[in-house]
Amino acid sequence: MIRVGLARTRPSYQGLAAPFHPGAAYPELAPLLGERVGAGPASSVYAAARAALAALGLDAARFGSASWNPLGALVRRGGRVVLKPNFIRHWNPTAGATPESVVTHGAVIRALLDYAALAVGAEGSVALAEAPQQDCDWERVAELAGLPAIRAFYESELRRGFEWIDLRREAVETADGVIVARKPLPGDPLGYRAVDLGSASFFAGSGLDPARMRGADYDPAATGAQHSAGRNAYLLSESVLRADLIVNLPKLKTHKKTGVTLALKNLVGVNGDKNWLPHHTVGAGGDEFPGGALVDRLRSRAVELARGWLARGRATGALRLARRAEWALRGDEFIRSGNWHGNRTTWRMVCDLNRALYYSDAERLRLDAPAPVRAVLTVLDGIVAGEGAGPLAPNDRPLGAILAGTDPVAVDLAALRLMGFDWERVPKVRELMRDRGPRVTAVRTPLDVRVFETTNELASLRERALEEIDCERPFQPHPGWAGHIERSPS
């Protein structure tokens, strides 16, 4: 039986302010927070994160006492914990929507920071690391999550450090969807490691042409070079790989290329170079768009031509005009760049990154290990979730849920039930369950998973099968997935 903790709470962040104190005198936090343990107004989000950890059964025998240490079984005292949020972008362009449905909320981050700091003690360390989208303003997304206030509290009141790391090696400025400026970044202070899965990659035997794979930037050669001639490599953060425990903090929302974000997709942000990540495959046998409409084929050829110009910094003005004209004529919901249910590239990349991370320790890749060598705890922020045009422009969907688990597929299965989606129609989940290679998950069938549901007041704890978890109203899928991800009413 694989256990998932589910805490239900108020579906809002209203009234919360950084540094997001717990607002309740939880006995286990006294050794960390001292006299500040009950400071601030009560936080329903902090209470829900705590309840989800308790529902997961972590250190269950001591829950409610001053010695409860939920992360203590996952990381030793004196160890290193890295928090991995979803900081993809600092704004939401959808009218009436907010960044609350785009990025992990700071109140969730603060709760897991406290429990991580409690587990590793004064001898250990906790950091936050993420590689957001290239056009994300790191300072603005950090401010959005309240990180400066959280760090100031930790340093001034607790005399403890709290480091956060932008794992990108480059940021860009865009206009009309075209890169107009680039800025080199320091990146991971510990550097990066090329992790090559070789024949253990989900691309092995896929039939997808590496020369036609496209990443997030303009140079296709950089993407194909990492996924050809038997090589399937990713550039992973050493700060993440050297951690004793990774706390994965995704946002619950839809996704244009993989259907949903959730636990599995969020780990894409431990990669330091976006061009090592295949997002779709163009041309014959590819998955750029459905069908063979002339307008889509002509657009694809034009984009391929433009890539060469843009890689050399040319014709940006003309291409911006072309993009504006396209939006005026076609809008923004037509399918391109693999943004649909037929994408056969991105889910493989997601599964690869999970395998690379779960089977890499501080020294090397260990695909011969009988089980994952990496400890990862997922705490999924679904207080205000995202539906529709995720992951960048979702509509806010108040949900009031936090999920916790140590098996990412089990967490994603439970989240899919909450969204009203069918796991068999989500390739990254379905294929990881079927795969017989080095296994990221212990889940073979949904019957393996049990959800322990509670409220943030921990008034009761109810064990439920996955099929008993339901949603009041199914989520609106991304337009490219509509009709191809929903669960049948029967």
Side-chain angles (χ1 to χ4, degrees), residues 96-374:
T98 72
E100 290 181 348
S101 58
V102 176
V103 298
T104 308
H105 198 272
V108 178
I109 295 171
R110 169 62 195 279
L112 272 297
L113 168 63
D114 284 357
Y115 284 109
L118 182 70
V120 300
E123 312 95 301
S125 63
V126 185
L128 177 148
E130 163 73 316
Q133 188 163 284
Q134 289 172 295
D135 61 350
C136 176
D137 185 319
W138 179 262
E139 297 303 322
R140 291 177 66 182
V141 77
E143 185 68 39
L144 190 66
L147 297 189
I150 295 173
R151 180 160 68 180
F153 168 75
Y154 256 65
E155 291 179 346
S156 64
E157 300 291 332
L158 306 185
R159 301 293 188 267
R160 297 183 64 136
F162 173 43
E163 176 186 20
W164 64 78
I165 308 166
D166 182 352
L167 297 177
R168 299 172 300 175
R169 300 193 296 180
E170 180 184 68
V172 304
E173 179 184 343
T174 62
D176 301 313
V178 176
I179 295 175
V180 295
R182 296 177 182 269
K183 176 186 175 182
L185 298 174
D188 190 339
L190 298 183
Y192 302 87
R193 188 191 313 176
V195 179
D196 182 8
L197 292 176
S199 61
S201 166
F202 283 82
F203 285 106
S206 68
L208 296 171
D209 183 355
R212 296 178 179 271
M213 291 178 182
R214 300 294 180 260
D217 209 334
Y218 297 140
D219 181 9
T223 307
Q226 304 305 328
H227 298 277
S228 59
R231 176 180 174 85
N232 285 288
Y234 301 89
L235 194 68
L236 301 193
S237 154
E238 281 289 358
S239 288
V240 172
L241 291 177
R242 296 185 195 181
D244 298 296
L245 171 65
I246 298 165
V247 179
N248 186 19
L249 300 171
K251 170 63 70 173
L252 194 154
K253 57 182 175 177
T254 53
H255 194 283
K256 58 189 176 183
K257 288 179 167 47
T258 63
V260 289
T261 295
L262 312 179
L264 292 167
K265 180 64 176 67
N266 196 51
L267 291 180
V268 170
V270 305
N271 182 86
D273 190 325
K274 301 295 186 184
N275 258 337
W276 289 44
L277 304 178
H279 283 69
H280 69 278
T281 306
V282 301
D287 54 9
E288 186 178 5
F289 52 83
L294 179 62
V295 64
D296 291 322
R297 288 188 282 118
L298 290 175
R299 182 187 189 279
S300 178
R301 291 176 185 175
V303 168
E304 288 301 297
L305 179 63
R307 281 179 179 272
W309 294 340
L310 293 170
R312 296 188 293 272
R314 299 176 182 174
T316 56
L319 291 167
R320 287 177 60 188
L321 286 173
R323 289 299 297 271
R324 289 201 295 269
E326 180 179 58
W327 287 332
L329 290 171
R330 303 187 71 186
D332 196 42
E333 291 194 357
F334 69 94
I335 296 173
R336 77 268 193 194
S337 304
N339 297 343
W340 66 302
H341 64 92
N343 187 312
R344 295 180 290 119
T345 304
T346 306
W347 73 257
R348 288 182 162 87
M349 175 263 286
V350 170
C351 292
D352 270 7
L353 278 166
N354 277 264
R355 177 168 284 169
L357 181 66
Y358 274 86
Y359 281 86
S360 292
D361 61 17
E363 298 177 355
R364 63 181 178 86
L365 181 66
R366 301 182 182 273
L367 292 176
D368 57 344
V373 298
R374 168 73 54 193

Side-chain angles (χ1 to χ4, degrees), residues 328-471:
L329 290 171
R330 303 187 71 186
D332 196 42
E333 291 194 357
F334 69 94
I335 296 173
R336 77 268 193 194
S337 304
N339 297 343
W340 66 302
H341 64 92
N343 187 312
R344 295 180 290 119
T345 304
T346 306
W347 73 257
R348 288 182 162 87
M349 175 263 286
V350 170
C351 292
D352 270 7
L353 278 166
N354 277 264
R355 177 168 284 169
L357 181 66
Y358 274 86
Y359 281 86
S360 292
D361 61 17
E363 298 177 355
R364 63 181 178 86
L365 181 66
R366 301 182 182 273
L367 292 176
D368 57 344
V373 298
R374 168 73 54 193
V376 180
L377 168 68
T378 297
V379 179
L380 178 60
D381 176 8
I383 302 295
V384 175
E387 65 179 356
L392 300 176
N395 289 304
D396 295 356
R397 174 65 184 272
L399 184 64
I402 289 184
L403 289 156
T406 54
D407 188 302
V409 168
V411 173
D412 281 8
L413 285 170
L416 286 166
R417 291 291 306 185
L418 291 174
M419 300 174 86
F421 292 163
D422 183 349
W423 67 270
E424 292 189 272
R425 306 177 89 177
V426 181
K428 62 185 176 183
V429 174
R430 180 189 69 229
E431 299 304 324
L432 276 174
M433 289 170 63
R434 292 176 177 174
D435 186 66
R436 296 299 181 264
R439 290 187 60 80
V440 168
T441 177
V443 180
R444 297 282 188 179
T445 165
L447 297 175
D448 295 335
V449 180
R450 304 294 290 181
V451 178
F452 288 75
E453 183 176 346
T454 187
T455 64
N456 61 347
E457 295 87 8
L458 290 162
S460 63
L461 185 65
R462 180 182 177 188
E463 180 180 350
R464 307 175 72 184
L466 270 177
E467 64 183 16
E468 298 178 88
I469 304 298
D470 216 334
C471 60

